[in-house]
Amino acid sequence: MKINVTGATGNLGQKITEQLLQLATDEEIAVTVRNGNKAKQLYGKRVDIQVTDYQSTDKMVDAFTGTDTLVYIPSIVHPNQARIAEFENVLFAAEKAKVKQLVVVGFFADHENNPFVLSPFYGYVPRRLASADINYTIVRNAMYADPLPPYLPELIERGRLPYPAGDGKINFVSRRDLARAIAQIAIRPELYGKTYTLTGKKAYTMTELAEILSEASGHTIRYDPMTAQEFAVTYDEPKGFGAILASLYVAASHHLMNETTNDIELITGQEPEDLLSFIKRNYKG
């Protein structure tokens, strides 16, 4: 079996590739990346490195040829039209290269009434796959827990958690736990052909999250939300990102970010790490 991971120099892609290298032989793993030099620094000669441009379907067909299972991690690009265009190119190339199984990693903000700015992309993907000439598996993940520990110094200075999420809850999961589950999906054909929602053990109100952040840091952090507009202006770096980020928490205020499953445990045999333990382990205060 040949497993090919796109975006393998990114945060999640790297963790998935590292997990796969523990589960399969080096010869069975390939990575498709934009930056070949970075991939060589990370993996040396352990994996087959394919360098491609997501705007060139010919290059992607070459990169995907010989692939049995392709793990596709969408690039962090916006607006939705840019992500959809990339996805269409990947899908076209995967079909032409006769990839046997396409594992698409997405996000659980795909509801038809979700105000998250990038929700249209996540809603488009499963509907488009249903009409594609390829076998596929969909992964929907909860919000990354990983940005929380490095965010703590700012929260300590502010003394407040400003997410404009109202009384909504958010489920957080670490990239490490996601990678463990996605790698298992990639190497086990009996898991193909389904939709998985990979989440942490529970969803938290922002008051609960503030209490966890306070306990992990040893500083008092209270939940004191900004308005969505204020949050968008405060965190508008790079320009335009603030509105996207704010809309994510507005979705939470509509109770659309609290999905919780035991899919990670069912796939891996292990529960995802508790959020407090994760933050304590990763906070360098």
Side-chain angles (χ1 to χ4, degrees):
M1 175 186 285
K2 189 78 168 187
I3 302 170
N4 194 334
V5 182
T6 74
T9 58
N11 291 319
L12 179 58
Q14 185 177 340
K15 285 181 168 56
I16 293 172
T17 305
E18 289 169 349
Q19 285 290 321
L20 286 169
L21 285 168
Q22 297 177 35
L23 299 169
T25 66
D26 295 2
E27 291 74 20
E28 291 177 300
I29 309 302
V31 297
T32 295
V33 298
R34 290 190 180 92
N35 189 330
N37 290 331
K38 185 175 180 181
K40 288 177 183 177
Q41 291 173 2
L42 290 171
Y43 307 114
K45 296 182 179 180
R46 294 191 66 191
V47 302
D48 175 17
I49 298 173
Q50 297 289 329
V51 180
T52 194
D53 177 352
Y54 286 107
Q55 306 307 313
S56 171
T57 54
D58 288 340
K59 288 182 179 180
M60 279 195 290
V61 171
D62 291 340
F64 298 163
T65 296
T67 295
D68 293 301
T69 300
L70 177 66
V71 179
Y72 168 56
I73 304 169
S75 300
I76 304 175
V77 296
H78 59 84
N80 287 290
Q81 292 88 335
R83 284 203 184 190
I84 290 171
E86 176 191 285
F87 169 68
E88 285 289 348
N89 287 343
V90 169
L91 184 57
F92 173 86
E95 289 177 332
K96 193 166 184 180
K98 301 188 184 305
V99 169
K100 295 176 182 176
Q101 182 71 208
L102 176 62
V103 178
V104 180
V105 180
F107 188 47
F108 69 174
D110 53 6
H111 321 85
E112 62 184 19
N113 63 332
N114 196 307
F116 178 43
V117 170
L118 294 178
S119 181
F121 169 75
Y122 295 109
Y124 176 86
V125 167
R127 291 157 179 80
R128 178 64 180 88
L129 285 170
S131 66
D133 185 22
I134 197 167
N135 296 316
Y136 64 89
T137 302
I138 296 174
V139 174
R140 304 165 71 246
N141 62 259
M143 192 179 295
Y144 293 147
D146 302 65
L148 291 172
Y151 187 32
L152 260 175
E154 179 182 336
L155 296 179
I156 292 167
E157 183 178 350
R158 290 180 182 273
R160 65 186 289 204
L161 178 66
Y163 294 159
D167 64 353
K169 295 182 178 182
I170 298 177
N171 191 296
F172 295 90
V173 65
S174 72
R175 291 190 181 101
R176 186 178 72 167
D177 282 327
L178 290 173
R180 289 193 302 110
I182 293 167
Q184 287 288 337
I185 292 169
I187 66 165
R188 293 168 57 189
E190 69 270 20
L191 296 177
Y192 294 169
K194 301 177 182 178
T195 296
Y196 299 96
T197 300
L198 306 181
T199 74
K201 292 194 289 186
K202 64 169 289 186
Y204 298 89
T205 66
M206 296 306 93
T207 298
E208 291 172 328
L209 179 59
E211 291 170 353
I212 287 173
L213 294 168
S214 297
E215 182 176 346
S217 66
H219 296 267
T220 299
I221 299 169
R222 70 190 190 284
Y223 180 46
D224 181 15
M226 295 179 177
T227 65
Q229 183 176 10
E230 181 185 5
F231 190 89
V233 171
T234 301
Y235 292 99
D236 197 32
E237 183 60 43
K239 189 167 180 60
F241 180 72
I244 295 174
L245 191 58
S247 71
L248 192 60
Y249 297 106
V250 172
S253 75
H254 292 181
H255 306 282
L256 295 172
M257 304 293 289
N258 58 2
E259 288 184 64
T260 303
T261 76
N262 63 346
D263 282 358
I264 288 179
E265 183 178 4
L266 290 174
I267 293 165
T268 68
Q270 293 180 302
E271 289 186 342
E273 185 174 9
D274 174 76
L275 184 60
L276 176 60
S277 299
F278 172 81
I279 296 173
K280 283 183 172 180
R281 185 170 59 81
N282 289 278
Y283 173 55
K284 310 301 181 185

